[in-house]
Amino acid sequence: MKQKNLSQVDPAVFHLCKEEEDRQARTLTLIASENHCSSAVRETMASFLTDKYAEGYPGRRYYGGCEVGDEVERLARNRAKELFGAEAANVQPHSGTQANLAAYLAVMNAGDPLLGMALNAGGHLSHGFARNHTGMLFRAEHYGLDDETGLINYDEVQAKAESLRPKVLVGGGSSYPRLIDWERLRKIAHGVGGLLMADIAHPAGLIAGKVIPSPVGVADLVTMTTHKTLRGPRGGMILCGKDLIKKVNSSVFPGGQGGPFLHAIAAKAVAFGEALRPEFQDYARQVVVNAKALGDALLGLGYELVTGGTDTHLLTVDLRPKGISGKEAEARCLELGLVINKNLIPKDPRPAMETSGLRLGTPALTTRGFKEEEVREVAELLDRAISGKDREAVRARVRELAEAHPLP
Ligand code: DSN
């Protein structure tokens, strides 16, 4: 077959891909769950591995011709285990939500009790939200945050666990900016005869980069996405001990998924290889330094932060003192090239499509080489965008900063 490139075969899709590249290049991403993967990861995602079926696991596939796929998956698993110091890894989950569902169903049955952090406290849909399959399948209850501090109240988690006796207690979420006491959560879960699952979708890269404590070896199951702070391809992964890996493997396939995405698994291997290099630890450290600098600058500009700051890559801004909703602030920033997302704050008086807060994160800026000084300037630009001052000057400066920091 004579090969033609995308621009010849399908100009419409080529144009859209180009437009997205340009959009990312000329704007600044402060969405805490987004990042820019390396060109090596992108190249792997576009490889011939995308054509191959390989249901099963290395050495035990339902299709012929999987020799290369076997090597790819073994490499990804071994690098994942080395990176996180884990006994076993399943690198097949297509996403974080699918990893979570597979991990639960490895150790729970429908109707079993599940305890996770509430969505409006910073948890995730897949931690038992009523309209998510995890909320429909399991008897889910939730813990919130302390009203005063915005921190996890471990005594509340303990009390809820004692009354629900969850089979799985989930820690982690999508907008909790502080460290989690994994040992304490393990004690609570095991004390009521359950297991602890750590969902490190957000901070996986900070854990791999050894800048915040790891739940691996503490939690019974660890799930994550590979595309946020970890900076790999879009996908998921589950880590566990040797005692649980057979159940996890059967739960992923044939339980919840069919053929693995070998191209994505190969790209995960590339990302894990990158994360094993010393430069990755410098990046991870800088992500946290930048988040603290962003938080301090916003506090100096009169903003409030849930929990007063951050230990990680993300911040939740409480906009109530500024008298503007998250929705409106998001729209004003987006128009000027600052890509952020509205976010519920604890006990938010506004609905989820409006919110009183914003979630900001520094992984993508850090990947583009931003250091504290530039991040402080970004805080000022955010403030000017939100308050509607000097719109054209803000737009021009955002463009300038973006052009000075090309995508990888
Ligand atoms: N959408 C992801 C996030 O922003 O945290 C979680 O699924």
Side-chain angles (χ1 to χ4, degrees), residues 168-188:
V168 169
L169 167 64
V170 196
S174 269
S175 60
Y176 189 68
R178 295 296 185 173
L179 300 182
I180 291 176
D181 185 345
W182 297 114
E183 294 282 354
R184 179 92 196 261
L185 289 184
R186 173 192 163 97
K187 218 165 138 204
I188 295 172

Side-chain angles (χ1 to χ4, degrees), residues 31-33 97 124 173-175 202 225 228 341 359:
I31 293 182
S33 48
T97 293
H124 189 254
S174 269
S175 60
H202 265 263
T225 52
K228 297 189 176 88
N341 67 275
R359 187 185 63 167

Side-chain angles (χ1 to χ4, degrees), residues 58-81:
R60 281 171 61 83
R61 304 280 192 188
Y62 289 83
Y63 289 82
C66 293
E67 314 79 54
V68 177
D70 282 0
E71 281 310 299
V72 164
E73 190 163 345
R74 284 196 188 102
L75 188 64
R77 285 204 302 215
N78 289 339
R79 286 186 182 170
K81 288 192 280 178

Side-chain angles (χ1 to χ4, degrees), residues 375-396:
V375 164
R376 282 191 277 271
E377 185 181 352
V378 170
E380 278 168 28
L381 293 169
L382 283 166
D383 178 49
R384 285 158 70 194
I386 290 168
S387 59
K389 282 185 226 147
D390 329 314
R391 292 173 48 76
E392 286 323 306
V394 173
R395 192 195 308 274

Side-chain angles (χ1 to χ4, degrees), residues 85-268:
E87 285 183 9
N90 185 307
V91 292
Q92 292 194 4
H94 303 326
S95 73
T97 293
Q98 281 185 283
N100 285 351
L101 190 54
Y104 297 139
L105 285 168
V107 295
M108 284 204 281
N109 294 311
D112 279 345
L114 169 71
L115 181 61
M117 193 193 275
L119 192 59
N120 64 1
H124 189 254
L125 293 168
S126 61
H127 296 182
F129 180 65
R131 284 163 51 213
N132 184 268
H133 286 172
T134 55
M136 298 175 193
L137 205 49
F138 305 115
R139 197 153 43 84
E141 289 191 16
H142 296 96
Y143 52 91
L145 298 173
D146 185 275
D147 283 349
E148 291 300 311
T149 61
L151 298 171
I152 295 173
N153 177 342
Y154 292 92
D155 293 334
E156 185 209 344
V157 181
Q158 172 90 46
K160 290 221 157 148
E162 279 169 10
S163 98
L164 181 67
R165 304 192 73 78
K167 266 262 183 78
V168 169
L169 167 64
V170 196
S174 269
S175 60
Y176 189 68
R178 295 296 185 173
L179 300 182
I180 291 176
D181 185 345
W182 297 114
E183 294 282 354
R184 179 92 196 261
L185 289 184
R186 173 192 163 97
K187 218 165 138 204
I188 295 172
H190 287 197
V192 297
L195 297 175
L196 174 63
M197 184 173 117
D199 180 345
I200 58 165
H202 265 263
L206 308 182
I207 290 166
K210 303 195 177 1
V211 292
I212 65 169
S214 173
V216 176
V218 179
D220 303 280
L221 293 154
V222 177
T223 61
M224 70 189 78
T225 52
T226 48
H227 51 273
K228 297 189 176 88
T229 50
L230 192 48
R231 211 161 64 177
R234 192 157 290 279
M237 175 159 78
I238 304 172
L239 303 175
C240 60
K242 286 190 178 138
D243 53 330
L244 286 179
I245 191 63
K246 270 199 172 158
K247 286 183 177 168
V248 165
N249 285 347
S250 319
S251 186
V252 173
F253 172 84
Q257 293 187 174
F261 296 171
L262 288 178
H263 60 305
I265 292 174
K268 287 173 193 174

